[in-house]
Structure formats: structure tokens, C-alpha cells
Amino acid sequence: MRSKNLPITLFAAFVIGVVHYLIVLPASWYFISLYLPILGWLMALDFGAAVAIYTSIYVIDPVINVMLAVPAAISICLLRPIRLVSHLLLAVVPGVVWHYRLIFEDTMTIEYWAYLWGLTISLFSLPIATLFTQRIVYSRASH
């Protein structure tokens, strides 16, 4: 049964998003950078530093971000929202705006293209995790 208490579920989605983007992701990436030597392993393969860095940025980071978004996605799915898109917007937009606020503060010195991949990952990791979670939960519930 879907939740009919829209204001409470919208507020809960907002809180889930704030906790995810402002607490969970920074803390997780801090420990990942300390204890998971993926970049070092890639550089040890002798493909060169550029290939290792680009592989890390363009392949591994999105996968890790989606995996880190799974608990928040499960929490949003447990709300059983009537309007999933509005709940995801309230969960994603505040954290992304906070993380990328510097783009809007100093428009003269920042190269915008350098932030596009990170912005894309930030915008879509939680929705992708939510869609995967929802598909898994509803496919198991129908069997």
C-alpha cells in the first residue's frame, strides 16, 4: 500500500537526501580514499597514470556512488511514495546544490566542464539506486 501522507513522506525524503549527501557520502569517500587503493592498483598495471585516473573517475566512482546510495534508496522505497519523482527531487537537489555551490559563487575562475561528470554522478546515483531497489523489491513481491 502506498503512503497517503504526502507532506511527511516529502519531508522524510528531504532528510534522507540531506543525510546521504552531506554525511554519508563525504564520510564514506574519506574512508574509501584511505583504505581502498584502487588508484594505486590501476597505476601498478603500467597503463600509465592518466588511464588509471580516468578509469577511476569514469568507471569506478559511479559504481561506488550507486552502491553507497542503496541505503538511501531503500529508505525512500520504504516510504512507498505516491510520487517517486518528487521524492527523489527533494532527496537529490539540496545535497547536489550544496556540494556544487562554489560553481555559482565564483563564475570567473571555475572551468565548468571539470565539474560536469561529478555533477552527473551526484544527480543520478540516488535515482539509479532507487530504480534498481524498487525493481528488485517489486519483482520479489510479485513472485
Side-chain angles (χ1 to χ4, degrees):
M1 172 171 266
R2 298 213 179 253
S3 175
K4 294 180 182 173
N5 201 344
L6 187 63
I8 292 175
T9 59
L10 285 173
F11 179 72
F14 173 78
V15 170
I16 290 167
V18 167
V19 168
H20 173 68
Y21 281 101
L22 301 183
I23 297 172
V24 173
L25 281 182
S28 298
W29 277 109
Y30 172 75
F31 287 109
I32 287 170
S33 68
L34 284 178
Y35 298 111
L36 191 64
I38 292 174
L39 191 58
W41 293 338
L42 290 171
M43 291 179 81
L45 294 175
D46 289 333
F47 290 131
V51 172
I53 291 170
Y54 287 126
T55 302
S56 173
I57 291 172
Y58 292 112
V59 177
I60 298 169
D61 287 1
V63 171
I64 291 174
N65 268 333
V66 170
M67 290 176 13
L68 290 173
V70 169
I74 291 171
S75 301
I76 289 175
C77 287
L78 288 175
L79 294 174
R80 298 185 184 269
I82 295 171
R83 297 181 186 110
L84 182 61
V85 174
S86 60
H87 286 72
L88 284 174
L89 281 173
L90 268 176
V92 170
V93 170
V96 171
V97 167
W98 177 257
H99 280 291
Y100 291 93
R101 70 192 180 280
L102 297 177
I103 291 176
F104 304 111
E105 287 180 6
D106 189 11
T107 58
M108 298 303 286
T109 60
I110 295 178
E111 297 177 12
Y112 293 104
W113 63 268
Y115 289 94
L116 285 179
W117 186 246
L119 180 64
T120 305
I121 293 170
S122 296
L123 283 174
F124 293 111
S125 61
L126 182 57
I128 289 170
T130 304
L131 292 177
F132 283 147
T133 303
Q134 201 174 36
R135 177 158 295 192
I136 289 169
V137 167
Y138 289 132
S139 69
R140 291 190 183 207
S142 64
H143 288 139

